[in-house]
Amino acid sequence: MSSGIEVRLARNSGFCFGVKRAINMAMKSAPVSDNIVTLGPIIHNPQMVEKLKSHGIDYVDSADQIPSGATVIIRSHGVTRQTMEELRSRDLRIIDATCPYVSKTFHHAEELKKQGFAVMILGDAKHPEVIALKSYVNGDAEIVASASEFPERTYRRLGIVSQTTQSVEKFQELVCRAIPNCDEIHLINTICNATNIRQDSTLQLAKKSDLMIVIGGRNSSNTKMLARISDRWTETHHIETAQEIDPAWFAKKKNIGITAGASTPDWIIIDVYNVIKENIGARDLKAMNVEDIPGYKEE
């Protein structure tokens, strides 16, 4: 058994403001409604979605699956303008849990369009936030996943916004690529500050770790970004739960880092931490920053 092993948790890990807000809104609504659903998974974490289901809050994939008279919770990523208008026209109680930072991005894109800018969105075209965002410019926006996808054309006036969970580095690369092709550019940095902080914390921890465990849903954009950032510096494993941990990962490792996406619940982070302790021998473990997990109490 190795000795002197250090396990560090990235100082900024787990639920962000928008996710906490959405979950709290959902949990508060559960006792007062017998017929309640979320339109799409409320956040990109299967375990949290299952927990809500145990409290009587299921999810549906489309608006036409919502029964009349139901309470519908709008997920943290938001929905398209057309979907919101449809819901408001029906006999439904609507709880809008869209992250305020995401809603602000919708507003910025809409204003750019009104001011006559062609709109470009940095993001994943299949992500629900980006799908919703595009609807606020009536579908008239170009979506690029990176600077390499910038179109081979020129623009008189171009407005650029970003999916809130993209990296600042990718946004900067896109802007640099756009400058030679534009007469006028209006940039709005719509990357959420919580995203920036988590990415920086992960980067700093990865640089001094010889193994990183990244915890979060496999369909979580911000968690996948953390895994990509970490993987540039050290051996990295992206997991959803502690059950996926392979004890072989810890062989000859002295510095183990843990980080978690903005939609990863505290209890999953704690489970992963405890399983790591079991695998490397708790008496040789020096844990740092674990107390920064909201509500954390070591078992």
Side-chain angles (χ1 to χ4, degrees), residues 101-102 104-106 108-109 112 119-124 129-130 133 142-145 159-172 174-175 186-192 195-196 199 221 225:
Y101 297 109
V102 171
K104 189 178 291 186
T105 302
F106 296 166
H108 285 316
L112 285 171
V119 177
M120 182 172 290
I121 302 168
L122 173 65
D124 176 358
E129 178 188 327
V130 176
L133 176 56
E142 294 176 280
I143 301 171
V144 296
I160 304 178
V161 295
S162 174
Q163 182 180 342
T164 57
T165 53
Q166 289 293 308
S167 71
V168 172
E169 179 184 19
K170 287 182 69 175
F171 191 71
Q172 290 172 327
L174 176 60
V175 172
H186 191 149
L187 311 173
I188 303 179
N189 181 5
T190 52
I191 298 172
C192 176
T195 297
N196 287 334
Q199 290 176 359
S221 176
M225 184 65 72

Side-chain angles (χ1 to χ4, degrees), residues 2 19 30 34 36 47 51 92 116 131 138 150 161 214 218 226 241 272 277 284:
S2 300
V19 168
D34 295 327
I36 183 168
Q47 293 74 35
K51 184 170 184 177
L92 299 170
I131 293 170
N138 299 319
F150 189 89
V161 295
V214 180
R218 286 194 169 78
L226 295 182
T241 67
V272 169
K277 284 203 303 183
D284 291 320

Side-chain angles (χ1 to χ4, degrees), residues 181-214:
N181 292 66
C182 302
D183 294 332
E184 179 183 354
I185 303 180
H186 191 149
L187 311 173
I188 303 179
N189 181 5
T190 52
I191 298 172
C192 176
N193 189 49
T195 297
N196 287 334
I197 291 171
R198 278 160 179 74
Q199 290 176 359
D200 185 62
S201 293
T202 295
L203 174 62
Q204 299 309 317
L205 184 55
K207 287 181 177 180
K208 53 189 176 184
S209 301
D210 45 28
L211 173 68
M212 283 286 290
I213 306 296
V214 180

Side-chain angles (χ1 to χ4, degrees), residues 135-162:
S135 75
Y136 280 82
V137 292
N138 299 319
D140 188 15
E142 294 176 280
I143 301 171
V144 296
S146 66
S148 64
E149 295 184 5
F150 189 89
E152 291 297 331
R153 53 164 292 192
T154 58
Y155 296 84
R156 189 176 68 83
R157 306 180 79 209
L158 178 65
I160 304 178
V161 295
S162 174

Side-chain angles (χ1 to χ4, degrees), residues 15-258:
F15 277 179
C16 65
F17 161 77
V19 168
K20 283 183 186 178
R21 175 178 177 272
I23 296 300
N24 287 339
M25 291 174 76
M27 295 300 285
K28 286 179 180 178
S29 67
V32 298
S33 179
D34 295 327
N35 190 3
I36 183 168
V37 297
T38 67
L39 183 52
I42 192 165
I43 61 173
H44 279 159
N45 183 273
Q47 293 74 35
M48 191 70 240
V49 170
E50 282 300 309
K51 184 170 184 177
L52 288 178
K53 190 173 182 179
S54 72
H55 286 268
I57 305 173
D58 206 346
Y59 80 89
V60 295
D61 291 313
S62 62
D64 57 15
Q65 295 176 302
I66 304 172
S68 180
T71 295
V72 57
I73 302 172
I74 306 302
R75 61 190 169 195
S76 58
H77 302 107
V79 295
T80 66
R81 170 183 275 164
Q82 294 78 9
T83 298
M84 185 63 86
E85 289 173 353
E86 177 188 345
L87 295 175
R88 286 173 175 157
S89 71
R90 296 175 53 190
D91 178 27
L92 299 170
R93 177 179 176 236
I94 300 172
I95 299 174
D96 189 357
T98 305
C99 172
Y101 297 109
V102 171
S103 296
K104 189 178 291 186
T105 302
F106 296 166
H107 172 73
H108 285 316
E110 186 176 33
E111 285 301 307
L112 285 171
K113 185 66 178 176
K114 287 179 180 177
Q115 293 169 20
F117 288 89
V119 177
M120 182 172 290
I121 302 168
L122 173 65
D124 176 358
K126 296 181 180 179
H127 193 280
E129 178 188 327
V130 176
I131 293 170
L133 176 56
K134 189 176 180 180
S135 75
Y136 280 82
V137 292
N138 299 319
D140 188 15
E142 294 176 280
I143 301 171
V144 296
S146 66
S148 64
E149 295 184 5
F150 189 89
E152 291 297 331
R153 53 164 292 192
T154 58
Y155 296 84
R156 189 176 68 83
R157 306 180 79 209
L158 178 65
I160 304 178
V161 295
S162 174
Q163 182 180 342
T164 57
T165 53
Q166 289 293 308
S167 71
V168 172
E169 179 184 19
K170 287 182 69 175
F171 191 71
Q172 290 172 327
E173 289 172 353
L174 176 60
V175 172
C176 289
R177 175 65 183 84
I179 288 173
N181 292 66
C182 302
D183 294 332
E184 179 183 354
I185 303 180
H186 191 149
L187 311 173
I188 303 179
N189 181 5
T190 52
I191 298 172
C192 176
N193 189 49
T195 297
N196 287 334
I197 291 171
R198 278 160 179 74
Q199 290 176 359
D200 185 62
S201 293
T202 295
L203 174 62
Q204 299 309 317
L205 184 55
K207 287 181 177 180
K208 53 189 176 184
S209 301
D210 45 28
L211 173 68
M212 283 286 290
I213 306 296
V214 180
I215 315 165
R218 286 194 169 78
N219 59 343
S220 165
S221 176
N222 76 86
T223 305
K224 289 189 287 186
M225 184 65 72
L226 295 182
R228 284 196 289 269
I229 290 170
S230 176
D231 193 51
R232 296 173 191 167
W233 292 93
T234 190
E235 179 183 340
T236 299
H237 298 281
H238 178 180
I239 64 173
E240 285 192 354
T241 67
Q243 284 67 41
E244 298 173 48
I245 290 175
D246 182 347
W249 295 343
F250 308 110
K252 300 181 181 179
K253 298 297 190 294
K254 294 289 187 180
N255 296 287
I256 299 167
I258 303 172

